[in-house]
Amino acid sequence: MATTSSMFMYSLTLQPSSAITQAILGQFAGTKEQQIVTASGSRLTIHRPDPQQGKISTILSQDVFGIIRTLAAFRLAGSNKDYIIIGSDSGRITIVEYLPAKNCFNRLHLETFGKSGIRRVIPGQYLAVDPKGRACLIASVEKNKLVYVLNRNAQAELTISSPLEAHKAQTLVFAMVGLDVGYENPIFAALEVDYTECDQDPTGVAFDELEKSLVYYELDLGLNHVVRKWSDPVDRTANMLFHVPGGADGPSGVLVCGLDNITYRHNNQDPFRVAIPRRHGATENPDRKRCIVSGVMHKMRGAFFFLLQSEDGDLFKVTLDMVEDENGQPTGEVKKLKIKYFDTVPVAGSLCILKSGFLFVASETGNHHFYQFEKLGDDDDETEFASDAFPSDPLESYDPIYFHPRAAENVNLVDSINSLNPTIESKVVNLTGKEAPQIYSICGTGARSTLRTLKQGLEVNDIVDSELPGIPYAVWTVKLTRGDEYDAYIVLSFEDGTLVLSIGENVEEVTDTGFLSSATTLAVQQLGEDALIQVHPKGIRHIRADRRVNEWPVPQHRSIVAATTNERQVAVALSSGEIVYFEMDSDGSLAEYDEKREMSGAVTCLSLGEVPEGRVRSTFLAVGCDDSTVRILSLDPDSTLESKSVQALTSAPTALSIMSMVDSSSGGMTLYLHIGLYSGVYLRTVLDEITGELSDTRTRFLGHKDVKLFRVTVKGQTAVLALSTRPWLGYSDPQTNAFVLTPLDYVPLQWSWNFSSEQCPEGMVGIEGKNLRIFSIEKLGTNLLQSSVPLSYTPRKFINHPVQPLFYVVESEYSTLSASTKQKLLSDSTVVNGDGVVLPPQEFGYPRGQGHWASCVQVVDPITTKSVLQQIDFEDNEAAVSVAAVSFSSQDDETFLVVGTGKDMVVNPRSDAGGFIHVFRFQEDGKELEFIHKTSVDHPPLALLPFQGRLLAGVGTQLLIYDLGMKQLLRKCQAQVVPNLLVGLQTQGSRIIASDIQESVTYVVYKYQDNLLIPFVDDMLARWTTCTTMVDYETVAGGDKFGNLWLLRCPQKASDEADEDGAGAHLVHERQYLQGAPNRANLMCHFFSQDMPTSIQKTSLVAGGRDVLFWTGLQGTIGMMVPFVGREDVDFFQTLEQHLRSDDAPLAGRDHLIYRSYYVPVKGVIDGDLCERYSLLSNDKKQMIAGELDRSVREIERKIAEMRTRVAY
């Protein structure tokens, strides 16, 4: 990376891409349980389906820093573990295994075969595996195919052979699959087109006569080479292959799926063909042909079936009937092919059928679904179509077949995985008035589109919420004996007394517990084997199992102000500043230590750690005083209450908690002291178990209320619950073991405690005002909560109201019938009963119509009603493309909603019949829109922006300024500023940044006196701009459609000249440079993000955090770029990044530096995602890198964690 750059950014992913490009199924852990492995861009993720609960959860997700193109699972004969083969853009074939003990992927083989990058003739696009796990074939789109033989050596380790070539020049491959042939020589089937003659024939006749062939490649294991065994022409529209079980399970061969038909083919069998059924209905086009987009084959004992999905989402069950012999046994010869409608699910990229009776649908857009099979559709009354009725010759015609879609009967949705794919646009706005802003995104396509609200937090499951007679001050739960599994009592402390509730079938008050009910309680603890203690201001009450009570009274004129307990020790602080320490004797009684320790100030809080296993006492007592210090006192018999260490704080401590937690630095357990301050700051510091020294302090601002801390158990691990203006949970991340502090999506609590009962083994009890609440936390994996409002069509742009918490979303759907056309077709008198049924579009999609557009603008309230308040549809085949809220100076600064539409648009090749700009007035505080007028323009206005009390519009290559008139908009100024198509606008002052679809950005200045728009700076690189934002007056950040993020800066001299007073004549007459503007922008930063950025914004994400560049990608990625403040941090992270590139090389074999420099060398950006992998390295590697950097491991981990926690989550 060029160290001469004057600007440095730190790139971090807040949420990885959620678009699944491929999903595979297998027993990757080596147990009988099946797991699902998915590829999302550059991430490899393994999911664990839970058949008992019908849930699916993520076990491990790893960034391979390379584009995963294809995945395959294979198993060596006789083994019970599946391996994963990855075809990526590294020019290498990678074989990895999942190690459940370490929860990581382990690379076994990495074989180089070609150049890196995604190229036409470099293998990696197709990957096929022999079902018996003997060989795999990796192929490119054109020419090259390589076969690797897989085997095991004497140590039972996986081995891979040198590649065997099966190249054929000038051949395009459309699909590839491994044939099931039992234990005969492995065969791979491919759909191929030889274009040799087309290349040499300029007339185009050869192209029209082109044939697509099904080709078999056989790997001869004896001779160790690959031969082209069989080739036969198939339907020219064929696009997919599925292998048919062979050997003892079936006839072998393949299903060839083409447009409107499915054919069974094999080299020793007759072909059988069936049509793909079409939907019947008043709004359906009876001539529209379907094709298969995904499918899965499932084998059961003695039978198998296929589920194939059309582009509408309809699933069809395809089966093969076999010829039987005299005894009724199948002979291995196919009799016919049968197809019937099964159910409708969202259109999938991959389908997986689990042995436990579940179906995983990796949706192309929207959430991924997990279904349970209710039945296999054998006994329903759906019509079954057989191949007898269709000719097997692909050129012969046949009558189409139809079915009526219906609600799902065979599968039942049990779980969903949230997915933001595709994210069209996002905004970070604080509509709720809470401390941290929320992220609002428009996602999805068609009727499954949503407006999603994302906020940082953990999902809380509320179990009990009941009102209490007064306002309690604190709550505890307590067991009766040490061996009890569940808590017996809930103890509530009020201003003037204590209430004890028993936990059972019903929660009710009990009075015979031995607790003093007339005093406020300060602490409750189950002591020793079967005793209880209650600490109140005037003493300590020790309640034995036989209800005998021992009372320790406080010395005269003093009271207890703070207390802490564990199962063997008690420490209390008196109002005089003295600390009294008790320890349990062998007979179960509490013995007071002879001396009292006097502190320098008034004690505000105390903490004893839990007694470590095998010990009789916790060795340290933490004491917080109002002079803003925390002291660690020893509890060793030799040095009781001696001071071990002191830490000065910025404010008085209000809560302390010593607890042992998982430590990512050492991999084991470490003792931590958690400190809550009066100022709302939380600190976590390492407490040395031998010396009592405090080190490695990390701080976090939680809110403007003082912090209280409680030890809780969540998902089997010890965690800390911190209460301020809202509750926060500090826990170890399940995958990385790093400490994470996340707010709970819950009401503010005054006090909380651990809670365990039969109904809720791992819960918490808390107080909110007069209410007692019991709740639990189910998931620790995701810390971004999503809530969604469904939309009608694919959203294109959205804008928030300047004042009210409302959004205005413009939506349009291509090749879809508009609402009015649909209504006209349904109300037609010729509609037959059964055809007029309107199915819910969320599941079945909208009826298609070539050239038609369905479009609307919706008013959405994401906060209070969480619904759409108003929808205005556009008629005459208009489609909304842009929206802006503009306040017009000529209308006393009243704000209007302006929507740009295009008429009769064709997406590719781009054409239209003009455009319109609609103006709406806000009514009812923005909840309703009133149409005023529309203005015709030459092309659809793809960019609209308020500018100096007027409207700025990008129409085609023109930039126009409009004012509001009575009948239409009035054009005030116009200039051509970009060469191709203006797609985005940003402004500050009188400077405008105009984005071109393929020629980067142009800086334009508006001269008010002369009413001129003058371009004065453009870019030297042709960037296909997708989004831009102004970082400051000179700098613009943006993204392009190839996945790059960049920052450009206007030269200072050009910037000053453009802002000079006067008419701007010197700018108009300045000489053009290479047919562009007179000046060129300087590139400051450049980075390849792997996802296409669709929105970018300069904003802060947490309360009190610095501004960052927040961006979202099309596939659901949420990321940010954090600017570095000092040079020292830049040098540190640059060196760390270099070490990690070599010591933690990417899993799929891609070079990290080249990957991040995919199109342009990376400049001024450090990859935070790579730096965060430091905590996952082995201890030896961590120590080695720390030695090179001259820092401690803890220090490095703290710096990496702070880069994230200071500005985001």
Side-chain angles (χ1 to χ4, degrees), residues 55 97 126 316 319 379 481 493 563 570 596 639 699 826 848 890 960 995 1031 1090 1151 1154:
K55 292 263 185 288
E97 65 174 333
Y126 301 107
F316 298 102
T319 50
D379 50 358
T481 67
S493 173
V570 179
K596 298 182 174 64
S639 58
T699 60
L826 287 168
R848 307 282 181 88
S890 57
L960 300 100
S995 321
V1031 181
Q1090 208 276 306
D1151 182 292
I1154 298 172

Side-chain angles (χ1 to χ4, degrees), residues 22 379 605 698 797 1024:
Q22 196 180 348
D379 50 358
C605 48
R698 304 189 187 183
K797 291 270 168 44
W1024 292 68

Side-chain angles (χ1 to χ4, degrees), residues 332-346:
E333 192 182 330
V334 178
K335 187 162 85 181
K336 59 183 168 187
L337 181 66
K338 296 193 295 192
I339 188 168
K340 69 191 281 193
Y341 173 59
F342 187 73
D343 263 338
T344 301
V345 298

Side-chain angles (χ1 to χ4, degrees), residues 217-233:
Y217 289 92
E218 182 177 14
L219 165 65
D220 192 318
L221 290 170
L223 300 171
N224 206 28
H225 76 134
V226 184
V227 291
R228 192 178 164 101
K229 184 180 181 184
W230 176 69
S231 173
D232 206 31

Side-chain angles (χ1 to χ4, degrees), residues 1076-1092:
N1079 303 289
R1080 293 287 178 270
N1082 300 322
L1083 180 66
M1084 304 302 294
C1085 296
H1086 201 285
F1087 184 74
F1088 175 70
S1089 68
Q1090 208 276 306
D1091 195 355
M1092 189 198 298

Side-chain angles (χ1 to χ4, degrees), residues 337-399:
L337 181 66
K338 296 193 295 192
I339 188 168
K340 69 191 281 193
Y341 173 59
F342 187 73
D343 263 338
T344 301
V345 298
V347 178
S350 294
L351 295 168
C352 299
I353 296 178
L354 282 75
K355 286 178 182 163
S356 49
F358 289 89
L359 170 70
F360 177 66
V361 176
S363 308
E364 274 193 358
T365 65
N367 293 351
H368 309 298
H369 288 337
F370 194 52
Y371 292 90
Q372 185 166 15
F373 281 102
E374 299 291 327
K375 55 187 204 302
L376 291 176
D378 296 326
D379 50 358
D380 55 16
D381 45 12
E382 284 294 332
T383 317
E384 191 165 51
F385 304 98
S387 53
D388 306 343
F390 302 95
S392 58
D393 182 358
L395 298 174
E396 276 189 51
S397 61
Y398 52 84
D399 292 330

